[in-house]
Amino acid sequence: MTVDLCGVKMRHSYHHGDLRAALLAAAESLLAERGVEGFSLREAARRAGVSPAAPKHHFASVRALFTAIATNAFDELADRLEAASADATQDRLARIRNQGVAYVQFAIEYPARLDLMWRVSLLEVSDQDYQRASARAFAALDRLVRGEDAPRLRKGHPGMAPTIACWSTVHGFARLAIDGAFGTGSESTKRALHALLPAVLSRLAL
Amino acid sequence: MTVDLCGVKMRHSYHHGDLRAALLAAAESLLAERGVEGFSLREAARRAGVSPAAPKHHFASVRALFTAIATNAFDELADRLEAASADATQDRLARIRNQGVAYVQFAIEYPARLDLMWRVSLLEVSDQDYQRASARAFAALDRLVRGEDAPRLRKGHPGMAPTIACWSTVHGFARLAIDGAFGTGSESTKRALHALLPAVLSRLAL
DNA sequence: TGTACATCAGTGAACGCGCGTTCACTGATGTAC
DNA sequence: TGTACATCAGTGAACGCGCGTTCACTGATGTAC
């Protein structure tokens, strides 16, 4: 295969090198541009510069590819949530607020990812790695809401009620934001995010 | 056209009578079964018992059909929200709780509808009727949160912050519920709904 | 009240299209000796 | 260090499929006179 890179014709090896990663990247860009409805495996292969049959060696189906993308997305989200609450000088409420803002920022930055992560009918939800990654993201929030620093009452609270309350609010805000309910411009959304979400979370997580 | 209805062959007129309504119903059943990704106009026509070309006389495109479905769904949701807050003997907080529960119940009952209502990339969002219907649903909540019976501070609150806070929570809970975050069984979801959402809304809308 | 005729809402076969998949093949890589 | 060979990851043409749309046509309805 030859590719015109910076004006220079480069000879590529017959084998790609890391086609799996290239397909994931191509599929993500395609999803970001056209959404799930506009996705096709052929087009993803085209963008990765390989033939239509090549993906089969790395992903058994579109479902498997989507599941891998969603898994990566949950891991990235978990990273961000953990980072947002890592500052030990901040109190618990501040860290919860930070996590909520980080969640929404992730959604605004990668709306197609957030969408896919929850399109369970298109995913192999029984996939071990997918379950691990999504559980990790949930645990980052749960640890904070009901964990060591939580008020005595919350700690070991039976059921995950307080966590679900925070999660619903943050997730709902994120979805409404990327679905355009707060206006199409991202500026108005970001203003609403910083003005509103922290205050709401403070009230919820007390 | 002949159709086997209750074992009796019925002779139908060449013209359908109300194909527009029949197509909407067929499309809804198809969406409920297969979701947006599995939808096709041909299959909807098939279910309505007409030829593939027939829908063109009623809907210029899939987008137009989807927009009509979403519009109906918003109207139905608005009806329910208004009904849920109609009891004048209840105080404001109780009515907000009722609306939230009604919203989530709508989502659980018609997950495909709730999904489509927010798939703005598939809808003609500039459609007058769609805008009217969605605004009506939002107004039902906003009136309650910031309306006549609201605390002095809320009444005429600049911006829609309190409304957005409630809306995010309810919408997020609904999405998580239909996306299976609370378990696949609808029973566990309903239990979480009644145990959790009213308490959260009371706290938010004070 | 009849009749002529325009209009409207359907038919059904045919179109080209992009899709996922298959298949025989090919070229690079890794390993045994 | 070379060589033989199995294995793996790619090619590209071909497949059948369902899709949305088109087109000439058809049958029912509504209206003018």
Side-chain angles (χ1 to χ4, degrees):
Chain A
M1 190 184 90
T2 55
V3 161
D4 192 333
L5 192 59
C6 308
V8 181
K9 290 278 175 195
M10 302 204 39
R11 184 77 207 160
H12 279 230
S13 142
Y14 186 89
H15 291 99
H16 182 284
D18 195 357
L19 181 53
R20 190 189 142 88
L23 280 172
L24 286 170
E28 286 225 49
S29 80
L30 182 51
L31 283 171
E33 275 176 42
R34 304 195 200 162
V36 164
E37 295 80 32
F39 181 88
S40 88
L41 202 51
R42 279 184 100 101
E43 174 65 20
R46 220 172 282 135
R47 291 185 181 210
V50 294
S51 76
K56 260 283 148 65
H57 290 284
H58 300 276
F59 300 100
S61 60
V62 173
R63 176 177 294 265
L65 172 60
F66 279 177
T67 304
I69 293 176
T71 300
N72 289 347
F74 265 117
D75 269 322
E76 163 81 18
L77 175 62
D79 287 345
R80 290 190 179 207
L81 295 184
E82 287 169 5
S85 53
D87 185 347
T89 69
Q90 293 184 317
D91 67 11
R92 172 177 164 276
L93 275 185
R95 289 188 283 166
I96 289 177
R97 287 193 294 265
N98 287 347
Q99 274 203 351
V101 171
Y103 190 107
V104 177
Q105 278 173 337
F106 176 86
I108 293 173
E109 197 169 341
Y110 304 111
R113 281 188 181 180
L114 192 87
D115 192 47
L116 187 65
M117 288 157 77
W118 293 100
R119 302 294 289 272
V120 285
S121 70
L122 304 179
L123 305 178
E124 197 61 57
V125 287
S126 62
D127 182 87
Q128 296 273 325
D129 213 32
Y130 171 81
Q131 289 188 352
R132 174 200 56 73
S134 60
R136 211 190 125 208
F138 179 79
L141 174 59
D142 193 49
R143 209 180 304 131
L144 203 49
V145 174
R146 297 193 301 141
E148 300 170 25
D149 301 336
R152 186 80 56 86
L153 264 175
R154 294 289 172 100
K155 205 169 165 175
H157 187 290
M160 311 173 296
T163 308
I164 288 178
C166 291
W167 190 21
S168 292
T169 301
V170 171
H171 184 68
F173 190 93
R175 286 237 58 127
L176 291 174
I178 67 180
D179 290 337
F182 307 147
T184 45
S186 68
E187 273 317 306
S188 63
T189 301
K190 281 183 183 159
R191 232 177 298 120
L193 165 59
H194 288 102
L196 177 59
L197 193 65
V200 173
L201 286 175
S202 294
R203 198 182 266 240
L204 270 186
L206 266 176
Chain B
M1 193 184 88
T2 55
V3 160
D4 193 332
L5 192 59
C6 308
V8 181
K9 290 278 177 196
M10 302 203 40
R11 183 78 206 162
H12 278 229
S13 143
Y14 187 89
H15 290 98
H16 182 284
D18 196 358
L19 181 53
R20 190 189 143 88
L23 280 171
L24 287 170
E28 285 223 51
S29 82
L30 181 51
L31 283 170
E33 274 176 42
R34 304 196 199 160
V36 164
E37 296 80 30
F39 181 88
S40 87
L41 204 51
R42 278 184 99 100
E43 175 64 19
R46 220 171 282 134
R47 291 184 182 210
V50 294
S51 76
K56 261 283 147 65
H57 290 285
H58 299 276
F59 299 101
S61 60
V62 172
R63 176 178 295 264
L65 172 60
F66 279 178
T67 304
I69 293 175
T71 301
N72 288 347
F74 265 117
D75 269 321
E76 164 82 18
L77 175 61
D79 286 344
R80 291 191 178 206
L81 295 184
E82 287 169 5
S85 53
D87 185 347
T89 69
Q90 293 185 317
D91 68 10
R92 172 175 164 275
L93 275 185
R95 288 188 283 167
I96 288 177
R97 288 192 295 264
N98 287 348
Q99 275 204 349
V101 171
Y103 190 107
V104 177
Q105 279 173 335
F106 175 86
I108 293 172
E109 196 169 341
Y110 305 111
R113 281 186 180 181
L114 192 87
D115 192 47
L116 187 65
M117 287 158 78
W118 293 101
R119 302 294 289 274
V120 286
S121 71
L122 304 179
L123 305 178
E124 196 62 56
V125 287
S126 62
D127 182 87
Q128 296 273 324
D129 213 33
Y130 172 80
Q131 290 187 351
R132 174 199 56 73
S134 61
R136 211 190 124 207
F138 179 78
L141 175 59
D142 192 49
R143 209 180 306 131
L144 203 49
V145 175
R146 297 192 301 138
E148 300 168 24
D149 301 336
R152 189 80 57 84
L153 264 173
R154 292 289 172 99
K155 207 168 164 177
H157 188 289
M160 311 173 296
T163 309
I164 289 179
C166 292
W167 191 22
S168 292
T169 301
V170 172
H171 184 68
F173 190 93
R175 285 237 57 126
L176 290 173
I178 67 179
D179 290 338
F182 306 146
T184 43
S186 68
E187 273 318 304
S188 62
T189 301
K190 281 184 185 161
R191 232 178 297 117
L193 165 59
H194 288 103
L196 178 59
L197 193 65
V200 173
L201 285 176
S202 293
R203 197 182 266 242
L204 270 186
L206 267 177

